[in-house]
């Protein structure tokens, strides 16, 4: 599979988080819609209000099954607006969906909803996770433990926090200062809360120095973690420089050393992905705005196979060439 393909042309879905559950691929995207809200740097025009779940048992030739709406803003007791990128984890017969949502004060929190099936529907808890903030939760299981990676700057509000405490006002670093890092936290045994204080996830250059805010490869949003040949691969979006990059480490907390670009810019402002192994092949799930003719808030899910070289480096995919 050398060319990317669209997965669900009949509706706009973005930010696909993908896992193998019950022998199938399950896709958990955000659901774009035309809200009529004017575009701005806070991302108010990304006004999603429900989630669908999709499944697939053959990436090359299979049909995508839409399991319909599994969770809506109106079902969440503490909801304000904007259901952004979600992810799902499995433990002890239950599936846990983690979602970012602005509360009634317009502050992003991370909520949990639970189901007996990977296809939902998911029933939300009455409150967001204690101490949670920002966006883009990614769930990663390692050695029986579940880790959450989260955070996003600008509209994702990560710049409003330091050391897990809210600031009086947001602070963005200067270009020559270390970039704002993603966060990592182990979950509690019941999967409903943080099991510790979230930690900074540092991305270092080849000399061992943290990437700077002015570096085009610094973290912006869209954390993802996977493991290949015993190495931990942390991948992420650089936001306003429109790249998917990755860094590698020897444990789930890092630090991670920057390695390169996985995906160059696609059509549309945002870029957001997940990486998963299925039937002995590795796939990159992502989105672009080609079908909506460049409307950055109306995105479509895609998938393409990825390859590693003999040193475990991921070969770069040219985002715009995937549309030729």
């Amino acid at each position: 599979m050398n060319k990317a393909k669209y997965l669900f042309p009949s509706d706009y879905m973005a930010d696909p988080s993908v896992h193998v559950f019950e022998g199938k691929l399950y896709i958990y995207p955000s659901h774009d819609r035309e809200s009529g809200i004017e575009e701005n740097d806070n991302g108010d025009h990304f006004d999603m209000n429900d989630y669908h779940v999709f499944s697939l048992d053959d990436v090359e030739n299979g049909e995508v099954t839409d399991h319909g709406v599994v969770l809506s803003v109106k079902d969440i007791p503490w909801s304000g607006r904007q259901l952004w990128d979600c992810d799902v984890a499995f433990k002890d017969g239950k599936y846990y969906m983690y979602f970012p949502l602005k509360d009634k004060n317009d502050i992003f929190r991370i909520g949990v909803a639970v189901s007996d099936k990977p296809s939902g529907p998911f029933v939300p808890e009455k409150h967001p996770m204690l101490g949670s903030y920002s966006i883009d939760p990614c769930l990663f299981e390692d050695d029986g433990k579940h880790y959450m990676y989260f955070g996003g700057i600008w509209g994702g509000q990560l710049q409003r926090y330091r050391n897990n405490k809210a600031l009086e006002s947001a602070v963005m670093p200067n270009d020559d200062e270390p970039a704002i890092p993603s966060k990592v936290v182990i979950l509690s045994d019941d999967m409903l809360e943080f099991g510790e204080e979230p930690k900074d996830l540092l991305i270092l250059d080849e000399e061992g120095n943290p990437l700077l805010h002015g570096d085009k490869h610094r973290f912006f949003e869209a954390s993802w973690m996977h493991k290949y040949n015993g190495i931990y691969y942390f991948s992420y979006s650089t936001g306003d420089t429109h790249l998917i990059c990755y860094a590698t480490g020897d444990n789930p907390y890092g630090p991670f050393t920057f390695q390169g670009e996985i995906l160059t810019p696609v059509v549309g402002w945002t870029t957001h992905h997940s990486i998963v192994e299925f039937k002995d092949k590795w796939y990159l799930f992502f989105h672009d705005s080609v079908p909506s003719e460049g409307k950055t808030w109306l995105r479509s899910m895609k998938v393409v196979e990825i390859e590693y070289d003999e040193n475990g480096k991921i070969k770069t995919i040219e985002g715009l060439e995937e549309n030729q």
Side-chain angles (χ1 to χ4, degrees):
M1 180 184 178
N2 296 321
K3 298 298 289 180
K5 73 171 192 178
Y6 289 99
L7 287 164
F8 192 68
S10 63
D11 201 354
Y12 296 113
M13 301 282 168
D15 314 322
S17 296
V18 183
H19 294 277
V20 180
F21 294 134
E22 300 179 345
K24 288 183 183 179
L25 285 170
Y26 279 86
I27 307 167
Y28 302 96
S30 49
H31 184 192
D32 283 354
R33 69 190 184 106
E34 189 67 81
S35 66
I37 296 171
E38 198 172 332
E39 239 179 299
N40 61 35
D41 282 349
N42 273 331
D44 287 336
H45 47 298
F46 296 106
D47 190 33
M48 301 84 119
N49 61 12
D50 65 23
Y51 294 123
H52 286 235
V53 171
F54 300 87
S55 61
L56 182 62
D57 55 17
D58 181 341
V59 176
E60 322 277 322
N61 306 302
E63 288 291 311
V64 173
T65 300
D66 178 8
H67 297 278
V69 174
V70 299
L71 183 65
S72 297
V73 166
K74 61 180 171 47
D75 302 325
I76 300 165
W78 54 275
S79 68
R81 62 190 180 117
Q82 295 182 289
L83 269 180
W84 284 9
D85 167 57
C86 68
D87 197 12
V88 170
F90 172 74
K91 184 179 180 182
D92 297 339
K94 300 274 188 191
Y95 295 86
Y96 298 86
M97 175 179 274
Y98 300 88
F99 56 89
L101 176 66
K102 282 181 177 171
D103 64 15
K104 295 180 195 309
N105 296 315
D106 243 14
I107 294 170
F108 268 117
R109 309 287 184 196
I110 296 171
V112 193
V114 187
S115 179
D116 295 326
K117 297 182 296 188
S119 57
F122 289 85
V123 178
E125 295 289 302
K126 289 185 171 57
H127 304 284
M129 299 175 84
L130 193 64
S132 67
Y133 57 94
S134 199
I135 60 166
D136 289 355
C138 156
L139 277 296
F140 173 72
E141 183 180 357
D142 189 53
D143 213 12
K145 299 185 174 88
H146 287 86
Y147 298 84
M148 180 189 290
Y149 299 83
F150 69 92
I153 60 175
W154 292 19
Q157 302 181 346
L158 194 56
Q159 69 277 6
R160 299 185 185 186
Y161 297 85
R162 292 293 187 279
N163 301 315
N164 304 311
K165 292 179 177 61
L167 303 173
E168 289 292 329
S169 55
V171 178
M172 293 294 278
N174 295 321
D175 281 355
D176 61 353
E177 294 178 328
I180 296 174
S182 172
K183 296 289 184 174
V184 53
V185 63
I186 204 164
L187 295 187
S188 59
D189 285 343
D190 67 4
M191 301 290 281
L192 301 178
E193 299 291 353
F194 292 168
E196 62 185 359
E197 285 279 312
K199 297 173 167 58
D200 289 347
L201 188 149
L202 291 179
I203 302 171
L204 309 175
D205 64 19
E206 56 194 10
E207 271 110 46
N209 301 309
L211 292 193
L212 302 180
H213 182 69
D215 191 316
K216 72 174 186 175
H217 295 129
R218 62 91 172 90
F219 171 80
F220 188 102
E221 62 187 358
S223 301
W224 188 259
M225 181 65 74
H226 75 278
K227 204 171 173 181
Y228 175 76
N229 284 351
I231 303 295
Y232 296 84
Y233 285 68
F234 177 72
S235 49
Y236 57 95
S237 168
T238 64
D240 56 337
T241 57
H242 316 294
L243 301 166
I244 298 293
C245 293
Y246 76 107
T248 57
D250 62 7
N251 71 86
Y253 289 108
F256 292 83
T257 302
F258 178 79
Q259 297 294 339
E261 299 172 4
I262 298 173
L263 182 66
T264 62
V266 297
V267 173
W269 196 93
T270 72
T271 188
H272 197 126
H273 71 299
S274 58
I275 295 169
V276 66
E277 184 183 19
F278 186 61
K279 297 183 177 177
D280 299 322
K281 292 184 177 181
W282 284 89
Y283 295 99
L284 175 75
F285 289 81
F286 62 109
H287 66 238
D288 68 23
S289 295
V290 172
S292 69
E293 299 180 336
K295 289 181 179 174
T296 200
W297 62 92
L298 295 178
R299 299 160 293 180
S300 297
M301 295 189 293
K302 303 179 80 171
V303 62
V304 68
E305 190 176 343
I306 60 170
E307 299 176 76
Y308 302 85
D309 70 15
E310 64 276 9
N311 300 313
K313 285 253 192 184
I314 297 173
K315 297 182 181 180
T316 303
I317 295 164
E318 299 296 328
L320 295 178
E321 283 182 14
E322 289 306 315
N323 302 308
Q324 303 302 314

